[in-house]
Amino acid sequence: MIILINPNLVVQRSDPFTTGIVYMPIGLAYIAASLRAANIPVKVIDAFAEQPYQARQNGNFLLLGLNHMEIIERIPDDTRAIFVYAINLINHLSTVEIVYAIKQSHPNIPVVVVENTQTVTAYSLHLVSREFYDAGADYILTGEGEHRAVRLAKALLSSELEKIKGIDGVGSQNFYNSPCDVITNLDNLPFPAWDLFPLQNYWKLRFAHGPQSTKSYLPLLTSRGCPFSCRFCVAPYANNQKWRSRSSQNVVDEIEFFVNKYNVQEFHIEDMNPTVSDQRIRDICNEILKRNLKIIWKIVAGTKVETIKNEETIDLMAKSGCKYISISPETGSSRLLELMHKPFDLKHALSIIKRMNQAGIYSQACFVLGFPDETDNDRQLTHALVRDLTRWGVDEIALFIITPVPGAAIYENFHGFEFLSELNFSPSWRTDYHKLNNFRLHLYTYFLLWKFIYHPFKILKQPLNFLRRNFNTKMEMIPYRALVYKYLDLFSKKK
Ligand code: SF4
């Protein structure tokens, strides 16, 4: 039996607004499905979602979910290896703690830490592998996990440890093999094994990564990787700038499968850039319409707005059930965009946002603050761009303070943090944090003011959505989530 563990959710207690984002562990669900397809017995322990309202404090962090004893009690006697999923950077604290606790109780069971390559909140395990080995991990598994996890599990189950040295993407104290390549035919992968996860517990929370507007939802990965090379992002490192996609048929097969299996009506696309092929996204829309699937779908992790070709694509997306699209202008300063290696076509973005507004698709614009060499003038340009976007109908903004992610090009530019979990969107260890955070609060205040002036009816609807816990935007959902975390923090125990 192979055990897969999703770690606890970690919240930075000083900032329950931008930390504690609930990501369903889709990468782990894919690995579970691949192991099962290879006839390898597998069990999932979801350390967060099995007890999501149980909290304990560890310094400035709040860990939600099972405690170590409860995790260890769930490990069956016939366990031959344990894979712990490093789902994202802020949860690093929990990932390391779980590795340590398992090794204390089960020193003879091999423990593997598994990388997540399909989100901008993940990190390179190879660059920080020392922390895992010091905690007792035997191996790290880097690169896309599905095929490599099967090879590694087979070698561990047959105790052919020498074979492990030949698996690309795998490392231990004594060796490291870089991942050779990425998966090209994504249609061949089995659908995520959501039946092994406590779905009801995720749904009952009423807050997800994307805004949850119905009783149940599931994440989708319709493509992988990203062709761009933003210097603050781990995606270029983790995917060699290779973008790959599933066919429209295969994506809609998955949607239909889970509609029939769980009656799920809401799907959150978690790809880093799902619209790179405009034709493919149109094909997905047409396939949803052809099969008459009455679903809501949302692009919740962002997409490059230039790749949405024109207003016709937006209209088709809206017709097939698209209700939310997140885009990332990042900054109003063209000078900074160049330093970031991030192209952004403002004129095109404005026309797309305007059409989304008309078509009933909620929009989010994400910005990063505090990129190296950012000046007051750059911030003023961002301020002006937020005002323009608000006038054109953008429904919400998200302001992230730059943090050095292991694997991102700018990782070495920053110093001063103590723990990797501090590398989140509120890096309070930065010497300029207070200045940046004040600007962030100032900009959120102005955004609400402009929204009230330009689109008063939209803003008046938001308190109602908040009270009904029927969230159309993340800005409606996040205050609810922060209240839950504050409540849990109040009654949580110290470690
Ligand atoms: S567009 Fe840039 S920030 Fe977005 S996933 Fe690609 S590299 Fe990362």
Side-chain angles (χ1 to χ4, degrees), residues 120 226-230 232-236 272-273 304 328 330 342:
V120 299
C226 171
F228 298 97
S229 59
C230 307
F232 55 82
C233 181
V234 70
M272 292 182 280
N273 254 317
K304 202 87 191 67
S328 300
E330 314 294 15
K342 177 122 194 175

Side-chain angles (χ1 to χ4, degrees), residues 17 34 77 96 107 109 137 176 178 201 210 216 300 314 316 333 336 338 345 362 377 400 419 472 476:
F17 286 91
S34 295
D77 291 341
V96 167
I109 298 182
Y176 176 65
S178 302
N201 289 359
S216 56
V300 300
I314 289 294
L316 188 58
S333 161
L336 268 192
E338 259 181 56
D345 182 342
Y362 291 90
N377 186 47
F400 305 113
F419 313 108
N472 290 322
E476 293 167 1

Side-chain angles (χ1 to χ4, degrees), residues 3-8 43-56 63-76 82 97-98 101-102 105-106 493:
I3 303 298
L4 305 181
I5 299 183
N6 186 42
N8 300 102
K43 171 183 167 165
V44 171
I45 301 173
D46 192 328
F48 163 59
E50 289 180 30
Q51 282 284 2
Y53 293 111
Q54 180 171 286
R56 66 195 151 89
L63 282 79
L64 307 190
L66 303 174
N67 62 38
H68 298 150
M69 193 53 74
E70 290 165 331
I71 294 170
I72 286 159
E73 280 166 7
R74 284 165 164 77
I75 298 173
I82 299 174
E97 278 190 3
I98 289 172
I102 292 169
S105 65
H106 295 77
K493 292 191 189 122

